[in-house]
């Protein structure tokens, strides 16, 4: 978690800066221009890739008899996603240095009192992976969809919404807008998706909930677009508030993306409806590059973080998953994958809506002597886990929360 610093831009009306003396200029020249960043933790990215991509690969190419054309398309998308992973690994350090020069950095609050707590950590690096994702998705569109494909309108609308959300997220990182504005940002970003959507307006009730609802399919009519809007708002903000630990924002997104991939393959194999199969194929083509570029960011954001992802990434991730679920026609199932985020949101409601006092950062207390975190009374899963299971390190707490996400 970061403590933000203002940019170095001079305020209007400030007197012009004085020229430094010659000895001060010489001393400044002796300081290296390029900040030194630690190399990414590729081992974490490799373990996560093996853990989450291996089941999808087995189901898509071994277990289920998917068509040869679909398998080739998945391989093509996977190859381009791998290129995106490599490009993101190269670009993140470059962008991090630029962010440090522009004073877009923060200090890790959960390491306060330690030497690592004084390190300037570049912020808002979600901007890099967001741009890489858009480029990969656009190029894939050129190689896969015909110019007259009926999916192109929704595909482009999805990318427009994601692009809009990346922009608004970066604006939030720079301006640090208040929470009431944060809640409204996804509403504007979802407009292209809402206007272009021409699919069905019914939702399939998940099988575990069918006995309680009494229906397998629920027709919403015009209320479906309202449901889409609320889902987009929830997904973007739920990832943003379930945060505060190195690797937690990206880690939960990787877990959800892997679950979406596996769900899509299973639905394609079990469904006989052509339109439903095409919707899930469409979802695979959007989520596979998203997962791989998130793995690249995870290599830099895992404990101890080399970069902070910023609101740019959390908003980008939430909107990407929302459009993937909506256009893949499994938005109700997507909410099941977001159950920890739903629980965290419900626990956070009293503070988010100021029924009880809400601090600036709802983080646990860090003891620099032991290196352990202690839970506070704040109503989020980070602190609730510490109160239930006792003190632990930041890395251990993040792993526990990700295991909870998987389960």
């Amino acid at each position: 978690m970061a403590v933000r610093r203002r940019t170095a831009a001079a305020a209007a009306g400030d007197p012009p800066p004085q020229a430094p003396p010659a000895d001060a200029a010489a001393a400044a020249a002796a300081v290296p221009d390029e900040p030194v960043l630690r190399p990414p933790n590729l081992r974490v990215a490799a373990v996560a890739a093996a853990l989450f991509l291996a089941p999808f690969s087995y189901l898509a190419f071994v277990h289920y008899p998917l068509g040869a054309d679909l398998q080739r398309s998945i391989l093509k998308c996977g190859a381009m996603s791998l290129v995106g992973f490599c490009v993101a690994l190269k670009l993140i350090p470059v962008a991090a240095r630029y962010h440090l020069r522009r004073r877009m950095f923060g200090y890790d609050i959960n390491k306060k009192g330690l030497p690592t707590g004084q390190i300037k950590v570049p912020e808002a690096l979600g901007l890099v992976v967001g741009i890489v994702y858009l480029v990969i998705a656009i190029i894939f569109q050129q190689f896969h969809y015909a110019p007259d494909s009926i999916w192109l309108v929704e595909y482009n609308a999805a990318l427009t919404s994601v692009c809009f959300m990346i922009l608004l997220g970066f604006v939030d990182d720079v301006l640090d807008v208040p929470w009431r504005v944060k809640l409204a940002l996804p509403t504007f970003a979802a407009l292209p998706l809402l206007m272009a959507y021409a699919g069905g307006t019914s939702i399939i009730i998940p099988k575990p909930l069918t006995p309680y609802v009494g229906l397998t399919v629920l027709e919403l009519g015009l209320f479906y677009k309202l449901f889409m809007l609320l889902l987009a708002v929830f997904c973007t903000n739920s990832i943003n508030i379930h945060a505060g630990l190195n690797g937690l924002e990206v880690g939960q997104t990787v877990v959800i993306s892997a679950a979406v991939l596996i769900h899509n393959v299973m639905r394609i194999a079990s469904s006989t409806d052509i339109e439903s199969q095409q919707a899930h194929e469409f979802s695979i083509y959007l989520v596979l590059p998203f997962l791989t570029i998130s793995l690249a960011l995870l290599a830099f954001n895992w404990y101890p973080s080399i970069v902070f992802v910023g609101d740019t990434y959390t908003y980008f991730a939430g909107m990407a998953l929302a459009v993937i679920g909506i256009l893949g026609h499994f938005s109700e199932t997507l909410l099941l994958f977001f159950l920890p985020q739903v629980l965290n949101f419900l626990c956070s409601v009293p503070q988010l809506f100021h029924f009880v006092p809400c601090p600036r950062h709802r983080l646990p207390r860090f003891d620099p002597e032991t290196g352990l975190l202690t839970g506070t009374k704040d109503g989020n899963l980070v602190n609730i886990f510490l109160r239930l299971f006792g003190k632990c390190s930041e890395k251990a707490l993040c792993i526990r929360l990700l295991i909870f996400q998987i389960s």
Side-chain angles (χ1 to χ4, degrees):
M1 190 67 183
V3 178
R4 287 193 175 89
R5 294 287 299 269
R6 291 184 59 191
T7 59
D14 286 352
Q18 298 293 326
D23 55 343
V31 179
D33 293 331
E34 292 293 334
V36 178
L37 298 175
R38 297 193 313 273
N41 193 337
L42 294 179
R43 181 181 177 184
V44 170
V47 171
L51 182 62
F52 296 114
L53 285 175
F56 163 72
S57 301
Y58 171 76
L59 292 175
F61 297 99
V62 178
H63 187 74
Y64 290 119
L66 302 182
D69 290 340
L70 174 56
Q71 290 180 337
R72 280 194 296 270
S73 296
I74 293 176
L75 285 174
K76 182 167 54 178
C77 183
M80 298 181 67
S81 300
L82 181 59
V83 172
F85 172 84
C86 297
V87 171
L89 281 180
K90 292 294 184 181
L91 291 183
I92 288 174
V94 176
R97 295 186 182 95
Y98 277 103
H99 285 209
L100 287 173
R101 291 174 193 163
R102 301 304 302 168
R103 298 181 64 82
M104 291 188 63
F105 63 82
Y107 297 104
D108 200 326
I109 298 177
N110 288 330
K111 300 176 183 63
K112 188 176 182 180
L114 298 178
T116 51
Q118 300 301 316
I119 296 176
K120 297 176 181 178
V121 184
E123 285 193 321
L125 269 298
L127 178 66
V128 177
V129 295
I131 293 174
V132 173
Y133 172 77
L134 287 174
V135 171
I136 295 298
I138 292 170
I139 294 175
F140 177 78
Q141 167 186 290
Q142 178 65 32
F143 286 97
H144 182 72
Y145 288 107
D148 58 346
S149 173
I150 60 174
W151 287 100
L152 273 184
V153 174
E154 292 187 351
Y155 193 93
N156 289 326
L159 296 185
T160 303
S161 290
V162 170
C163 182
F164 205 169
M165 199 68 254
I166 293 171
L167 171 63
L168 294 176
F170 189 68
V171 169
D172 184 21
D173 277 325
V174 174
L175 302 181
D176 197 14
V177 300
W179 265 104
R180 61 182 178 274
V181 179
K182 291 177 188 281
L183 292 174
L185 293 180
T187 304
F188 302 115
L191 288 177
L193 178 65
L194 296 177
M195 297 303 102
Y197 183 78
T201 56
S202 61
I203 61 174
I204 301 174
I205 305 299
K207 290 184 179 180
L209 301 181
T210 302
Y212 303 99
V213 178
L215 297 170
T216 57
V217 178
L218 178 63
E219 177 62 41
L220 295 180
L222 292 176
F223 290 101
Y224 187 78
K225 287 197 173 182
L226 176 61
F227 169 72
M228 290 167 54
L229 176 62
L230 295 177
L231 180 65
V233 173
F234 170 76
C235 289
T236 50
N237 286 286
S238 65
I239 293 179
N240 193 34
I241 65 175
H242 187 35
L245 304 175
N246 291 171
L248 180 57
E249 296 97 325
V250 188
Q252 64 184 293
T253 304
V254 168
V255 173
I256 296 172
S257 301
V260 168
L261 274 177
I262 294 172
H263 172 75
N264 282 324
V265 174
M266 295 176 66
R267 289 296 299 171
I268 291 172
S270 62
S271 176
T272 57
D273 182 67
I274 300 299
E275 183 179 352
S276 176
Q277 291 179 339
Q278 290 178 343
H280 287 286
E281 293 173 19
F282 178 91
S283 176
I284 289 176
Y285 303 145
L286 287 176
V287 76
L288 187 53
F290 175 68
L291 174 56
T292 56
I293 60 99
S294 294
L295 289 173
L297 185 59
L298 183 64
F300 288 91
N301 186 241
W302 188 251
Y303 181 93
S305 287
I306 305 170
V307 303
F308 290 138
V309 301
D311 292 342
T312 308
Y313 178 78
T314 57
Y315 286 160
F316 154 58
M319 181 58 70
L321 290 171
V323 300
I324 287 166
I326 291 170
L327 298 181
H329 299 173
F330 60 94
S331 51
E332 65 285 350
T333 305
L334 182 67
L335 284 175
L336 293 180
F337 299 148
F338 271 82
L339 276 181
Q341 286 72 24
V342 173
L343 178 60
N344 183 68
F345 172 75
L346 294 176
C347 295
S348 302
V349 163
Q351 288 185 314
L352 294 179
F353 292 95
H354 297 286
F355 299 132
V356 297
C358 182
R360 177 69 178 85
H361 299 292
R362 302 186 304 154
L363 295 175
R365 290 190 300 271
F366 176 70
D367 185 353
E369 295 185 359
T370 63
L372 301 180
L373 297 174
T374 303
T376 65
K377 294 182 179 180
D378 292 315
N380 55 0
L381 286 184
V382 170
N383 286 292
I384 291 173
F385 264 58
L386 287 171
R387 294 200 299 267
L388 289 177
F389 304 111
K391 302 178 182 180
C392 67
S393 66
E394 181 179 359
K395 182 178 179 180
L397 178 58
C398 182
I399 293 174
R400 290 178 184 177
L401 289 168
L402 293 181
I403 292 174
F404 180 64
Q405 183 80 49
I406 296 172
S407 61

